[in-house]
Amino acid sequence: MLSTLKERTGEVLLPGDEFSFETDDSISLTGPVRPEKVVCGPGLRRSGDRLLVCKSGVLRHKQPHMFWMDSQQRRYVPAKGETIIGIVTVKSGDVFKVDFGGSEQASLSYLAFEGSTKRNRPNVQVGDLVFSQFLIANKDMEPELVCVDSSGRANGMGVFGGGGLVFTVSLGLVRRLLTPHSEVLADLQQLFPCELVVGMNGRLWVKSSSVQQTLVISNLLQSCDAMTAQQRRQLFRRVAQGAL
Amino acid sequence: MMEVCGSSNVTLREFGCEQSLLSRPDGSASFIQGDTSVLAATYGPAEVKVSKEIYDRATLEVLIQPKVGLPSVRQRSQEQCVRETCEASLLLSLHPRSSLTLILQLIHDDGSILSCFLNAACMALIDAGLPMSCLFCGVTCAIDADGQIVTDPTAAQEKESRAVMTFAIDSTERRVIMSSTKGSFSVHELQQCIAVSQKASEKIFQFYRDSVKRRYSKTL
Amino acid sequence: MKDTPLSNCERDFLLKAIEEKKRLDGRQTYDYRKMKITFGTDYGCCFVDLGKTRVMAQVSCELVTPKENRPNEGIMFFNIELSPMASPAFEQGRQSELSVKLNRQLERCLRNSKCIDTESLCVVSGEKVWQIRVDVHMLNHDGNLMDAASIAAITALCHFRRPDVGIQGDEVTVYSPEERDPIPLSIYHMPISVSFSFFQQGTYLLVDPCEREERVMDGLLMIAMNKHREICSIQSSGGIMLLKEQVMRCSKIASVKVSEITELLSKALENDKKARKEGGRCGFAESMPQERITALKMDETSVEMTDVTERAKDIVQKTEAPPQLVRSPVVPVPGVGQVGQGLQNTWGLEEEDEEETEECDNSDEEQEEKVTKMEEEEHEKEASREGDVVEISDSEEEDVVILHPETPDKTPKNTESRSHQKGAAASKKRQKK
């Protein structure tokens, strides 16, 4: 199966396509026969002894044996450890309810901030933006967010947002922004200095030195969702030359 | 027993499909079969009302909007057909206690409307990236007064035919997921229509594959 | 479903940007978004794209009796549907505040301004008039639904053609589109609504707000005007207090915008008329953009049917033959339905009155939809006359009441009467001591 998967890497597959183990007619008795191991990522599911594709997209491969489906999607499904931008909707007692664009609102305890104790409560109002990560995120339980990492430090998380603009983009663009040595980010850095917070739920926050520049950057990012690298570079170049 | 005589080829009208045409829904698609045109949009997995939530699966809601007037019983029965097909192919257990909404807007009805709804629904679900175990497509067959089988009939052909049947066919094993029939026909004719629909569905699945390939053809 | 809440940071930024006269998409204060008007296959179907907001309008007509106090005038009916497709916040069937407001505004804009000559819709005074129904469906909500809806409605009305009617003495004939060309409605003027949104208690105003701007606005002023600079309707909502100069300024801006939009509208109607005259197909397949990678078209294809008959024969032969011989089947006589086997009660409820009402409706309004189960049972019944068939009508109950609309038999023991296909309803009431 590993060989068929590798052959079809980079192909566009649809739900319903499957990979099954080929039965070898002859297994060599002398040479070593190692069991194949395949790690399935999002979009691939195991069903019995077959591997089923359940989302449409391009099959990607990472050495040594990780495969997943790269699809264009807008709706976010929470996963543990991912950092997102959420909006606080309810402040009730000890727990805040945060909307992150999923099927339910996540809960964020007031103690999950750096340096907060029962006496020293964090300053969070309804409507604030929080950058936090998922502590619990599976399909059966209510998602739970925290603004500290495992050692108790904030590490960039927490309430933020004055003066910037938050907007939504597709999940694919967010993933492209977060890859190491991201091209989009590199192109953006050459434009204007700005602060950028990337939430994996498709929300981005931008702040630049003036309102105009912030608007330009947010429009650029929203439009380069659907552009190839070349078109994007052309567009950025035009903007840099001052077609503001 | 009626035999199918005459030409050995039946035709499907020209198809067209456009995905991601609306900015608010998570997935949207417009599907055109000849002059029949349908616009489909999906939202989900999203918040669900407590009265409608199911503890281990997503709640799928299908809404069909006619062009003139309010939805009536006919739309309800079409919604049921589409919902049953979608529930058979979506992996609903991956999103318990959430809601999936599928809205189908009729743009123009020139026959084969239920199969157009099914095709548009499938394309919208693919566009939204919802996990599915297989794809499905809809094919309508009509048996006219001479006993000939006509696939993808226009409204005029449907009016003159003795029986009109719509089948939803899945992509993995080409089996019938849902059938909705109107009129009188023999068992043999039914089996022939199913066989014809299975053949026609291959064209439709190839079209799905081509459109998704085209969508991902640009390397971003 | 709830819409995403508006964060404080977004609200503050939008207001700050508006103070600096900057809009999210780079427009000027008085600019409209890009507008596109397209038509559908049949007359009276129109799509309007205002930026990302998308709206569809359909006009239809039918002959009805007129209102008593206006026997000479036709009837106009408007309906705006906030389809759940347009926004996750819209729910099906619920008459929300926004829906009521939009419906009222459209009615005031089009009906009260008398833009359509309703007297020309009269066929026989006091008896038959045309009822023109305009349905507007919201397909995508990105702000300013009112303007898009009004443009779509008036364009669809201009585009619509009603069937020609001939009156000869007492006889009225409605000609189908094939017999005589349908005729357009007589429209006096085209009112178009222009929306102004106000921020910071009326200090700043924006024309054609997008969805995010609508969320932070204080109030909305809607002016419906036609190109002759006549105001058809004006409405201010949100509780903002406007000065006279502001309203005058808005009406001046509105007149400029309305003339631009009317020009665009007329051009679109012209192009469509030309295209239809040339005989080209105006369906949706043609209007689909080919260059986009999200769109694909496939031409008419044929389906091979070479081995269909053999396959079908195989399948029919391989399936089991229906069981012809069933010992003492319990078969309902045509026209009668049943829940349960009619045999031993296994529910454990004894000594209680049970009332089971069943209705068996085996007809559709227009077509005959035969339930295959009934067919099979009829076959079985015919085939197994020699077996010991227990018919439900011949039962142990004391009181069998079967109601037929044609034959009102109260207590028949023998219900062999065949029920009519259309509109037959039989109900059976069973009382068990």
Side-chain angles (χ1 to χ4, degrees), chain B residues 101-140:
Chain B
T101 317
L102 176 67
I103 302 119
L104 294 158
Q105 170 75 51
L106 175 64
I107 307 269
H108 193 249
D109 184 358
D110 191 35
S112 314
I113 190 62
L114 188 55
S115 57
C116 199
F117 280 140
L118 287 165
N119 292 333
C122 190
M123 293 249 71
L125 292 173
I126 294 177
D127 186 42
L130 288 170
M132 299 168 83
S133 61
C134 64
L135 297 177
F136 57 88
C137 77
V139 184
T140 305

CSV table of all heavy atoms in Angstrom, one decimal, chain B residues 101-140:
chain,number,residue,atom,x,y,z
B,101,THR,N,-26.4,22.0,7.7
B,101,THR,CA,-27.6,22.5,7.0
B,101,THR,C,-27.3,22.5,5.5
B,101,THR,O,-26.2,23.0,5.1
B,101,THR,CB,-27.9,23.9,7.5
B,101,THR,OG1,-27.8,24.0,8.9
B,101,THR,CG2,-29.3,24.3,7.1
B,102,LEU,N,-28.2,22.0,4.8
B,102,LEU,CA,-28.0,22.0,3.3
B,102,LEU,C,-29.2,22.7,2.7
B,102,LEU,O,-30.3,22.3,3.0
B,102,LEU,CB,-27.9,20.6,2.8
B,102,LEU,CG,-27.8,20.3,1.3
B,102,LEU,CD1,-26.5,20.9,0.8
B,102,LEU,CD2,-27.9,18.9,1.0
B,103,ILE,N,-28.9,23.8,2.0
B,103,ILE,CA,-30.1,24.6,1.5
B,103,ILE,C,-30.0,24.5,-0.1
B,103,ILE,O,-28.9,24.8,-0.6
B,103,ILE,CB,-30.0,26.1,1.9
B,103,ILE,CG1,-30.0,26.2,3.4
B,103,ILE,CG2,-31.1,26.9,1.3
B,103,ILE,CD1,-28.8,26.8,4.0
B,104,LEU,N,-31.1,24.1,-0.7
B,104,LEU,CA,-31.1,24.0,-2.1
B,104,LEU,C,-32.1,25.0,-2.7
B,104,LEU,O,-33.3,25.0,-2.3
B,104,LEU,CB,-31.6,22.6,-2.5
B,104,LEU,CG,-30.6,21.5,-2.1
B,104,LEU,CD1,-31.3,20.2,-2.0
B,104,LEU,CD2,-29.5,21.4,-3.1
B,105,GLN,N,-31.7,25.9,-3.6
B,105,GLN,CA,-32.6,26.9,-4.1
B,105,GLN,C,-32.8,26.5,-5.6
B,105,GLN,O,-31.9,26.4,-6.3
B,105,GLN,CB,-31.9,28.3,-4.0
B,105,GLN,CG,-32.7,29.3,-4.8
B,105,GLN,CD,-33.9,29.8,-4.1
B,105,GLN,OE1,-33.9,30.1,-2.9
B,105,GLN,NE2,-35.0,29.8,-4.8
B,106,LEU,N,-34.1,26.4,-5.9
B,106,LEU,CA,-34.4,26.1,-7.3
B,106,LEU,C,-34.3,27.3,-8.1
B,106,LEU,O,-34.9,28.3,-7.8
B,106,LEU,CB,-35.9,25.6,-7.3
B,106,LEU,CG,-36.5,25.3,-8.7
B,106,LEU,CD1,-35.7,24.2,-9.4
B,106,LEU,CD2,-37.9,24.9,-8.6
B,107,ILE,N,-33.5,27.3,-9.2
B,107,ILE,CA,-33.4,28.4,-10.0
B,107,ILE,C,-34.3,28.3,-11.3
B,107,ILE,O,-34.9,29.2,-11.7
B,107,ILE,CB,-31.9,28.6,-10.5
B,107,ILE,CG1,-31.0,28.6,-9.2
B,107,ILE,CG2,-31.7,29.9,-11.3
B,107,ILE,CD1,-30.8,29.9,-8.6
B,108,HIS,N,-34.3,27.1,-11.9
B,108,HIS,CA,-35.1,26.9,-13.0
B,108,HIS,C,-35.4,25.4,-13.1
B,108,HIS,O,-34.5,24.6,-13.0
B,108,HIS,CB,-34.5,27.4,-14.3
B,108,HIS,CG,-35.5,27.5,-15.4
B,108,HIS,ND1,-35.4,26.7,-16.5
B,108,HIS,CD2,-36.6,28.3,-15.6
B,108,HIS,CE1,-36.4,27.0,-17.3
B,108,HIS,NE2,-37.1,27.9,-16.8
B,109,ASP,N,-36.7,25.1,-13.4
B,109,ASP,CA,-37.0,23.7,-13.4
B,109,ASP,C,-37.4,23.3,-14.8
B,109,ASP,O,-38.4,23.8,-15.3
B,109,ASP,CB,-38.2,23.5,-12.5
B,109,ASP,CG,-38.6,22.0,-12.4
B,109,ASP,OD1,-38.0,21.2,-13.1
B,109,ASP,OD2,-39.5,21.7,-11.6
B,110,ASP,N,-36.6,22.5,-15.5
B,110,ASP,CA,-36.9,22.0,-16.8
B,110,ASP,C,-36.8,20.5,-16.8
B,110,ASP,O,-36.3,19.9,-17.7
B,110,ASP,CB,-36.0,22.7,-17.9
B,110,ASP,CG,-36.6,22.4,-19.3
B,110,ASP,OD1,-37.8,22.3,-19.4
B,110,ASP,OD2,-35.7,22.2,-20.2
B,111,GLY,N,-37.3,19.9,-15.8
B,111,GLY,CA,-37.3,18.4,-15.8
B,111,GLY,C,-36.1,17.9,-15.0
B,111,GLY,O,-35.1,18.6,-14.9
B,112,SER,N,-36.2,16.7,-14.5
B,112,SER,CA,-35.1,16.0,-13.7
B,112,SER,C,-34.7,16.8,-12.5
B,112,SER,O,-33.5,16.9,-12.2
B,112,SER,CB,-33.9,15.8,-14.6
B,112,SER,OG,-34.1,15.3,-15.8
B,113,ILE,N,-35.7,17.4,-11.9
B,113,ILE,CA,-35.3,18.3,-10.8
B,113,ILE,C,-34.7,17.6,-9.6
B,113,ILE,O,-33.7,18.1,-9.0
B,113,ILE,CB,-36.5,19.2,-10.4
B,113,ILE,CG1,-36.0,20.3,-9.5
B,113,ILE,CG2,-37.6,18.4,-9.8
B,113,ILE,CD1,-35.0,21.3,-10.2
B,114,LEU,N,-35.2,16.4,-9.3
B,114,LEU,CA,-34.7,15.8,-8.1
B,114,LEU,C,-33.3,15.3,-8.3
B,114,LEU,O,-32.4,15.4,-7.4
B,114,LEU,CB,-35.6,14.6,-7.7
B,114,LEU,CG,-35.3,13.9,-6.4
B,114,LEU,CD1,-35.3,14.9,-5.3
B,114,LEU,CD2,-36.3,12.8,-6.1
B,115,SER,N,-32.9,14.9,-9.5
B,115,SER,CA,-31.5,14.5,-9.7
B,115,SER,C,-30.6,15.7,-9.7
B,115,SER,O,-29.5,15.6,-9.2
B,115,SER,CB,-31.4,13.7,-11.0
B,115,SER,OG,-31.8,14.4,-12.1
B,116,CYS,N,-31.1,16.8,-10.2
B,116,CYS,CA,-30.3,18.0,-10.1
B,116,CYS,C,-30.1,18.5,-8.7
B,116,CYS,O,-29.0,18.9,-8.3
B,116,CYS,CB,-31.0,19.2,-10.9
B,116,CYS,SG,-29.9,20.5,-11.4
B,117,PHE,N,-31.1,18.3,-7.8
B,117,PHE,CA,-30.9,18.6,-6.4
B,117,PHE,C,-29.8,17.7,-5.8
B,117,PHE,O,-28.9,18.2,-5.1
B,117,PHE,CB,-32.2,18.4,-5.6
B,117,PHE,CG,-33.2,19.5,-5.7
B,117,PHE,CD1,-34.6,19.2,-5.8
B,117,PHE,CD2,-32.9,20.8,-5.7
B,117,PHE,CE1,-35.5,20.2,-5.9
B,117,PHE,CE2,-33.8,21.8,-5.7
B,117,PHE,CZ,-35.1,21.5,-5.8
B,118,LEU,N,-29.9,16.4,-6.2
B,118,LEU,CA,-28.9,15.5,-5.6
B,118,LEU,C,-27.5,15.9,-6.1
B,118,LEU,O,-26.5,15.9,-5.3
B,118,LEU,CB,-29.2,14.1,-6.0
B,118,LEU,CG,-30.5,13.5,-5.3
B,118,LEU,CD1,-30.9,12.3,-6.0
B,118,LEU,CD2,-30.1,13.2,-3.9
B,119,ASN,N,-27.3,16.2,-7.3
B,119,ASN,CA,-26.0,16.5,-7.8
B,119,ASN,C,-25.5,17.8,-7.2
B,119,ASN,O,-24.3,17.8,-6.8
B,119,ASN,CB,-26.0,16.6,-9.4
B,119,ASN,CG,-26.3,15.3,-10.0
B,119,ASN,OD1,-26.0,14.2,-9.5
B,119,ASN,ND2,-26.9,15.4,-11.2
B,120,ALA,N,-26.3,18.8,-7.1
B,120,ALA,CA,-25.9,20.0,-6.5
B,120,ALA,C,-25.5,19.8,-5.1
B,120,ALA,O,-24.5,20.4,-4.6
B,120,ALA,CB,-27.0,21.1,-6.7
B,121,ALA,N,-26.3,19.0,-4.4
B,121,ALA,CA,-26.0,18.8,-3.0
B,121,ALA,C,-24.7,18.1,-2.8
B,121,ALA,O,-23.9,18.5,-2.0
B,121,ALA,CB,-27.1,17.8,-2.4
B,122,CYS,N,-24.4,17.1,-3.7
B,122,CYS,CA,-23.1,16.4,-3.6
B,122,CYS,C,-21.9,17.4,-3.8
B,122,CYS,O,-21.0,17.4,-3.1
B,122,CYS,CB,-23.0,15.2,-4.5
B,122,CYS,SG,-21.6,14.2,-4.2
B,123,MET,N,-22.1,18.2,-4.8
B,123,MET,CA,-21.0,19.2,-5.1
B,123,MET,C,-20.8,20.2,-4.0
B,123,MET,O,-19.7,20.5,-3.7
B,123,MET,CB,-21.3,19.9,-6.4
B,123,MET,CG,-21.3,19.0,-7.6
B,123,MET,SD,-19.9,19.3,-8.7
B,123,MET,CE,-18.5,18.7,-7.9
B,124,ALA,N,-21.9,20.6,-3.4
B,124,ALA,CA,-21.8,21.5,-2.3
B,124,ALA,C,-21.1,20.9,-1.1
B,124,ALA,O,-20.3,21.5,-0.4
B,124,ALA,CB,-23.1,22.1,-1.9
B,125,LEU,N,-21.4,19.6,-0.8
B,125,LEU,CA,-20.8,18.9,0.3
B,125,LEU,C,-19.3,18.7,0.1
B,125,LEU,O,-18.5,18.8,1.0
B,125,LEU,CB,-21.5,17.6,0.5
B,125,LEU,CG,-22.9,17.6,1.0
B,125,LEU,CD1,-23.5,16.3,1.0
B,125,LEU,CD2,-23.0,18.2,2.4
B,126,ILE,N,-18.9,18.4,-1.2
B,126,ILE,CA,-17.5,18.3,-1.5
B,126,ILE,C,-16.8,19.6,-1.3
B,126,ILE,O,-15.7,19.7,-0.8
B,126,ILE,CB,-17.3,17.9,-3.0
B,126,ILE,CG1,-17.8,16.5,-3.2
B,126,ILE,CG2,-15.9,17.9,-3.4
B,126,ILE,CD1,-17.7,16.0,-4.6
B,127,ASP,N,-17.5,20.7,-1.8
B,127,ASP,CA,-16.9,22.0,-1.6
B,127,ASP,C,-16.7,22.4,-0.2
B,127,ASP,O,-15.7,23.1,0.1
B,127,ASP,CB,-17.8,23.1,-2.3
B,127,ASP,CG,-17.2,24.4,-2.4
B,127,ASP,OD1,-16.0,24.5,-2.7
B,127,ASP,OD2,-17.9,25.4,-2.1
B,128,ALA,N,-17.6,22.0,0.7
B,128,ALA,CA,-17.5,22.4,2.1
B,128,ALA,C,-16.4,21.6,2.8
B,128,ALA,O,-16.0,21.9,3.9
B,128,ALA,CB,-18.8,22.2,2.8
B,129,GLY,N,-16.0,20.5,2.2
B,129,GLY,CA,-15.0,19.6,2.8
B,129,GLY,C,-15.5,18.8,3.9
B,129,GLY,O,-14.8,18.5,4.9
B,130,LEU,N,-16.8,18.4,3.9
B,130,LEU,CA,-17.4,17.6,4.9
B,130,LEU,C,-16.9,16.1,4.6
B,130,LEU,O,-16.9,15.7,3.5
B,130,LEU,CB,-18.9,17.7,4.9
B,130,LEU,CG,-19.4,19.0,5.4
B,130,LEU,CD1,-20.9,19.1,5.1
B,130,LEU,CD2,-19.2,19.1,6.8
B,131,PRO,N,-16.7,15.4,5.7
B,131,PRO,CA,-16.2,14.0,5.5
B,131,PRO,C,-17.3,13.1,5.0
B,131,PRO,O,-18.3,13.0,5.5
B,131,PRO,CB,-15.7,13.6,6.9
B,131,PRO,CG,-16.4,14.4,7.8
B,131,PRO,CD,-16.7,15.7,7.1
B,132,MET,N,-17.0,12.4,3.9
B,132,MET,CA,-17.9,11.5,3.3
B,132,MET,C,-17.3,10.2,3.0
B,132,MET,O,-16.1,10.1,2.8
B,132,MET,CB,-18.4,12.1,1.9
B,132,MET,CG,-19.1,13.4,2.0
B,132,MET,SD,-19.3,14.2,0.4
B,132,MET,CE,-20.8,13.4,-0.1
B,133,SER,N,-18.2,9.2,3.1
B,133,SER,CA,-17.6,7.8,2.8
B,133,SER,C,-17.7,7.5,1.3
B,133,SER,O,-17.0,6.7,0.8
B,133,SER,CB,-18.4,6.8,3.6
B,133,SER,OG,-19.7,6.8,3.2
B,134,CYS,N,-18.6,8.2,0.6
B,134,CYS,CA,-18.6,8.0,-0.9
B,134,CYS,C,-19.4,9.2,-1.5
B,134,CYS,O,-20.0,9.9,-0.7
B,134,CYS,CB,-19.4,6.7,-1.2
B,134,CYS,SG,-21.1,6.8,-0.7
B,135,LEU,N,-19.3,9.3,-2.8
B,135,LEU,CA,-20.1,10.4,-3.4
B,135,LEU,C,-21.4,9.8,-3.9
B,135,LEU,O,-21.5,8.6,-4.0
B,135,LEU,CB,-19.3,10.9,-4.6
B,135,LEU,CG,-18.0,11.6,-4.3
B,135,LEU,CD1,-17.3,12.0,-5.6
B,135,LEU,CD2,-18.1,12.8,-3.4
B,136,PHE,N,-22.3,10.7,-4.2
B,136,PHE,CA,-23.5,10.2,-4.8
B,136,PHE,C,-23.9,11.1,-5.9
B,136,PHE,O,-23.5,12.2,-6.0
B,136,PHE,CB,-24.7,10.1,-3.7
B,136,PHE,CG,-24.9,11.4,-3.1
B,136,PHE,CD1,-25.9,12.3,-3.6
B,136,PHE,CD2,-24.3,11.7,-1.9
B,136,PHE,CE1,-26.1,13.5,-3.0
B,136,PHE,CE2,-24.5,12.9,-1.3
B,136,PHE,CZ,-25.5,13.8,-1.8
B,137,CYS,N,-24.8,10.5,-6.8
B,137,CYS,CA,-25.3,11.4,-7.9
B,137,CYS,C,-26.7,11.0,-8.2
B,137,CYS,O,-27.1,9.9,-7.8
B,137,CYS,CB,-24.4,11.2,-9.2
B,137,CYS,SG,-24.8,9.8,-10.1
B,138,GLY,N,-27.4,11.8,-8.8
B,138,GLY,CA,-28.8,11.5,-9.1
B,138,GLY,C,-29.0,11.4,-10.6
B,138,GLY,O,-28.5,12.2,-11.4
B,139,VAL,N,-29.8,10.4,-11.0
B,139,VAL,CA,-30.1,10.2,-12.4
B,139,VAL,C,-31.6,10.0,-12.5
B,139,VAL,O,-32.2,9.2,-11.8
B,139,VAL,CB,-29.4,9.0,-13.0
B,139,VAL,CG1,-29.7,8.9,-14.5
B,139,VAL,CG2,-27.9,9.1,-12.8
B,140,THR,N,-32.2,10.7,-13.5
B,140,THR,CA,-33.7,10.6,-13.7
B,140,THR,C,-33.9,9.8,-15.0
B,140,THR,O,-33.3,10.1,-16.0
B,140,THR,CB,-34.4,11.9,-13.8
B,140,THR,OG1,-34.0,12.7,-12.6
B,140,THR,CG2,-35.9,11.8,-13.9
